Amino acid sequence: MNIIILAVLPYLTIAVFVAGMVFRIYSWWKTPQPGALTLFPAPKGSTATFFGVLKESLFFPSLFKGDKALWVFAWVFHATLALIAIGHVRVFTDFPRLWATLGINADRMSAVSGGIAGVIITVAVILLLFRRISIGRVREISGLPDYLALVLILAILVTGNAMRFGEHFDLTLTHTYFSQLVTFSLSTAALPSNPMFVIHFFLAQLLIMFIPFSKIMHFGGIFFTQTLIQRA
Ligand code: HEM
């Protein structure tokens, strides 16, 4: 089972993700864009459009106007997710010279920031899930894929936190494993056997494959639709 999850699935995950993204972006590209024809009032210039899209993607002002409570949960979720994504760079590689130059104890820093971010994001996801279940009008428009995405993310967070707060997880194991994985030179000795890691990585791969076909793709759609809205 470990061999399938750690030595076969990662290549399949990349293939499904890339093919799915290409297909999704191509279908957006081909969709007629009536907003692009706006002549009056004059469309905004490209600099104003750029900053408009940037503001929308960093601070979600439209959501803030529409639903303040959802804005809080959603913004906290995305901000901590961004922090965790940056932190995950150390799962794949490390920069000991950079930390030494900056005088930073990277292990301690990531233990504190990763630990805090991991707890905050888990609370945010539980609240997002609770919102879908408890508010009638939200429940009505929620489908199975909406719940599936949240439950999958929650399971990834719980297993990630278990690694962070449980027995020390040695990141040199993942450095060796991923460097062999990307150079197509995997040896069975390099496969991490920590069950929490195997489950976490398995669920993360499911999520990555699911992204192009799900509403999680809204992060790509925002650049298309917001460009049109900002220009109009
Ligand atoms: C390629 C996919 C991924 C790999 C290989 C991976 C690997 C890891 C590892 C090894 C840790 C333990 C770090 C430590 O204790 O020092 C960890 C922690 C964590 N992971 Fe992941 N992960 C992946 C994807 C994700 C995703 C998609 C999410 C969120 C949706 C996530 C959320 C977390 C959280 C919340 C923690 C605990 C806090 C932290 O250490 O940052 N992971 N992950």
Side-chain angles (χ1 to χ4, degrees), residues 34-36 38-44 49 225-232:
T38 304
L39 295 176
F40 184 82
K44 282 185 198 163
T49 306
T225 50
Q226 278 297 322
T227 305
L228 293 177
I229 293 167
Q230 301 283 336
R231 278 181 61 80

Side-chain angles (χ1 to χ4, degrees), residues 81 84 88 91-92 114 118 153 156-157 160-161 163-164 169 171 178 197 200-201 204 207:
L81 186 65
I84 288 166
H88 272 66
V91 172
F92 305 98
I153 290 171
I156 297 173
L157 297 174
N161 285 330
M163 269 187 288
R164 167 64 69 197
F169 183 84
L171 288 177
F178 281 109
F197 172 79
H200 184 71
F201 188 39
L207 182 69

Side-chain angles (χ1 to χ4, degrees), residues 110-138:
S110 77
V112 174
S113 55
I116 294 174
V119 172
I120 294 178
I121 195 172
T122 308
V123 173
V125 171
I126 292 172
L127 289 173
L128 285 167
L129 199 55
F130 180 70
R131 172 185 168 271
R132 269 199 194 277
I133 298 167
S134 62
I135 302 178
R137 66 190 162 79
V138 184

Side-chain angles (χ1 to χ4, degrees), residues 97-176:
R97 288 234 203 103
L98 176 68
W99 310 132
T101 316
L102 297 173
I104 287 174
N105 179 331
D107 283 337
R108 198 177 317 135
M109 189 183 73
S110 77
V112 174
S113 55
I116 294 174
V119 172
I120 294 178
I121 195 172
T122 308
V123 173
V125 171
I126 292 172
L127 289 173
L128 285 167
L129 199 55
F130 180 70
R131 172 185 168 271
R132 269 199 194 277
I133 298 167
S134 62
I135 302 178
R137 66 190 162 79
V138 184
R139 198 171 48 232
E140 269 169 32
I141 54 163
S142 299
L144 188 63
D146 300 311
Y147 294 110
L148 204 67
L150 281 173
V151 170
L152 186 56
I153 290 171
L154 188 58
I156 297 173
L157 297 174
V158 169
T159 49
N161 285 330
M163 269 187 288
R164 167 64 69 197
F165 295 116
E167 218 174 281
H168 174 68
F169 183 84
D170 183 4
L171 288 177
T172 56
L173 292 175
T174 50
H175 294 170
T176 316

